[in-house]
Amino acid sequence: MEKIRLGKTGMMVTRLGFGGIPIQRLTEAEAVKVVQRCLDLGVNYIDTANGYTTSEERIGKAVKGRRHDVYIATKTFPGDAEMVEKNLELSLKRLDTDYIDLYQFHSVNDMDTLNRILDPENGLYRIFEKAKKAGKIRHIGITSHQMDAAKAEVKTGKFETIMFPFNFITSEPAKELLPLCREHDMGFIVMKPLAGGMLDNATLCFKYLLQFPDVVSIPGIEKIQEIDEIAAIYEGPHNITSAERKEMKRMTDELGTRFCRRCEYCQPCAQGIPISLIMTFPSFVKRLPPDWYLKGGFIPEAMEKAAECTECGECEEKCPFNLPIREMIKESYSLYEQVKAANTK
Ligand code: SF4
Ligand code: SF4
């Protein structure tokens, strides 16, 4: 499988990586098999996170005996220092390894959080640096969903990689973010290559991304058949036919008008409604186990908040993609009520 240099990390990673979110839905034995199939196909880049419940532990079991053949990337939310230190130790333990190849700040979407991370006195970045010196982590990266924050993160020069959503619907990174990463020699990791499960034509999605020779994609994989299919696209001819281009345009026109890019330009909402999180709910339902999005935590909290929307419409005036936010919030909320009812029977 073709490899690329992941920016200044110098890591030679396969263009196709493995996203560790969906294996949470499987049994442990199934999850281990899926990860091992990826390794057998030559995939050498695995992404997971402290927040993905069983994912790290299952990956740890799957790579046993093959640890040095694979790069493992994981991440922690940028909470307080104590939490970050604990999460790092927990990741090492769950992955059953004494080093993490790439350790990332998870989902840094605003300047306040970025400034808190980089605070020279007691920023969280210092914890990562200390861990790097101690050999617990080898490289430092960051992940984001918000374009302005992501560009600022790249410009700091403090991170070796960035992970950002990129697919033919959310194609904005091709214009500025990716060229900026190249300028700073930063690795670009593609999250949501299938638009978080909203796009079901894998051939189109990966052929689109294969036009960019220096990005690594990490589709979430749940079935052996899925990784086999995607690996075949990577190994096959990458040229996009005119029929495929037309189909991409059709899908962009159709979905593009109803697809939240999580850019956050619609904020602030006077009612404190986490709009993008609510709009992304259908994608959580497609990819995650019900316990993850129904029990405790920030998702059910956000979904309950949806009921407080006064339908003032201010958010819609600010959305650069002209999304019918009020209508989409209602649809997401109704889906939430349906899955909640189905899972509490
Ligand atoms: S329409 Fe609802 S979500 Fe949008 S700004 Fe008004 S209260 Fe907030
Ligand atoms: S609703 Fe529009 S403005 Fe708000 S996050 Fe989504 S795409 Fe951006």
Side-chain angles (χ1 to χ4, degrees):
M1 196 165 282
E2 196 186 340
K3 290 180 183 158
I4 55 161
R5 176 180 165 274
L6 190 62
K8 62 182 103 169
T9 69
M11 297 193 297
M12 292 303 293
V13 300
T14 45
R15 294 178 80 180
L16 174 60
F18 170 86
I21 293 182
I23 53 166
Q24 297 171 83
R25 295 159 71 115
L26 308 177
T27 64
E28 185 176 286
E30 286 166 344
V32 166
K33 267 193 201 151
V34 169
V35 179
Q36 288 180 338
R37 176 67 184 161
C38 294
L39 300 181
D40 292 344
L41 287 167
V43 170
N44 79 348
Y45 184 85
I46 294 187
D47 176 79
T48 181
N50 169 276
Y52 304 162
T53 62
T54 54
S55 176
E56 287 183 321
E57 202 175 330
R58 291 169 170 199
I59 288 166
K61 290 193 170 143
V63 305
K64 197 106 200 124
R66 303 164 88 172
R67 175 68 185 93
H68 300 295
D69 301 336
V70 68
Y71 292 110
I72 297 181
T74 189
K75 37 190 131 55
T76 174
F77 285 114
D80 60 28
E82 197 187 335
M83 180 195 120
V84 168
E85 277 168 0
K86 263 196 201 150
N87 283 353
L88 172 58
E89 294 305 324
L90 187 60
S91 287
L92 288 164
K93 192 168 160 229
R94 284 170 166 174
L95 288 162
D96 194 14
T97 184
D98 49 10
Y99 69 97
I100 289 162
D101 296 282
L102 175 65
Y103 201 49
Q104 302 153 107
F105 290 101
H106 194 168
S107 211
V108 181
N109 299 325
D110 62 85
M111 292 306 293
D112 286 351
T113 309
L114 178 61
N115 291 336
R116 194 165 53 77
I117 288 170
L118 295 177
D119 184 287
E121 289 297 311
N122 41 31
L124 300 171
Y125 190 84
R126 292 166 61 99
I127 299 173
F128 275 40
E129 273 184 319
K130 210 170 105 200
K132 196 172 171 183
K133 272 199 194 117
K136 293 181 182 181
I137 66 174
R138 297 201 166 159
H139 302 284
I140 298 176
I142 193 159
T143 83
S144 180
H145 300 90
Q146 210 280 333
M147 185 58 89
D148 295 335
K151 285 196 270 191
E153 286 155 14
V154 174
K155 286 178 190 164
T156 65
K158 292 284 193 184
F159 307 100
E160 292 164 89
T161 61
I162 191 158
M163 185 195 293
F164 198 83
F166 191 20
N167 50 65
F168 67 82
I169 303 282
T170 317
S171 59
E172 296 82 13
K175 289 186 206 125
E176 273 185 82
L177 188 59
L178 184 54
L180 200 59
C181 284
R182 288 176 180 144
E183 209 179 290
H184 290 262
D185 195 19
M186 266 176 79
F188 191 103
I189 303 152
V190 174
M191 77 162 96
K192 303 197 178 15
L194 293 148
M198 307 302 272
L199 293 170
D200 51 17
N201 189 328
T203 306
L204 292 189
C205 290
F206 293 106
K207 275 195 171 179
Y208 171 77
L209 288 170
L210 279 162
Q211 296 177 102
F212 305 92
D214 49 358
V215 304
V216 53
S217 305
I218 49 158
I221 303 292
E222 192 176 351
K223 295 187 188 110
I224 285 181
Q225 190 195 335
E226 287 168 356
I227 188 66
D228 285 356
E229 188 187 329
I230 300 171
I233 301 166
Y234 271 75
E235 302 291 3
H238 303 164
N239 60 309
I240 302 174
T241 64
S242 63
E244 286 171 336
R245 219 171 272 289
K246 265 192 203 142
E247 179 60 5
M248 276 185 205
K249 172 145 186 355
R250 189 196 65 75
M251 289 170 82
T252 308
D253 291 347
E254 188 185 292
L255 194 61
T257 53
R258 293 186 70 78
F259 183 74
C260 174
R261 275 81 166 168
R262 300 182 70 178
C263 66
E264 305 301 339
Y265 293 128
C266 51
Q267 292 290 355
C269 154
Q271 302 302 314
I273 293 174
I275 299 169
S276 64
L277 198 53
I278 293 169
M279 310 251 276
T280 317
F281 186 72
S283 133
F284 295 139
V285 175
K286 283 194 177 164
R287 295 179 300 135
L288 294 163
D291 275 5
W292 208 93
Y293 54 77
L294 289 177
K295 289 197 184 146
F298 65 103
I299 297 178
E301 225 170 79
M303 294 315 295
E304 296 297 345
K305 201 82 185 128
E308 293 172 27
C309 172
T310 58
E311 299 195 38
C312 69
E314 278 177 30
C315 51
E316 289 181 16
E317 282 165 31
K318 291 183 275 183
C319 175
F321 303 98
N322 300 315
L323 299 188
I325 298 177
R326 288 171 285 188
E327 203 180 302
M328 289 174 75
I329 285 180
K330 275 193 212 157
E331 287 166 7
S332 269
Y333 187 66
S334 141
L335 175 66
Y336 170 67
E337 289 198 303
Q338 277 171 38
V339 288
K340 201 163 81 170
N343 285 281
T344 46
K345 270 178 198 158

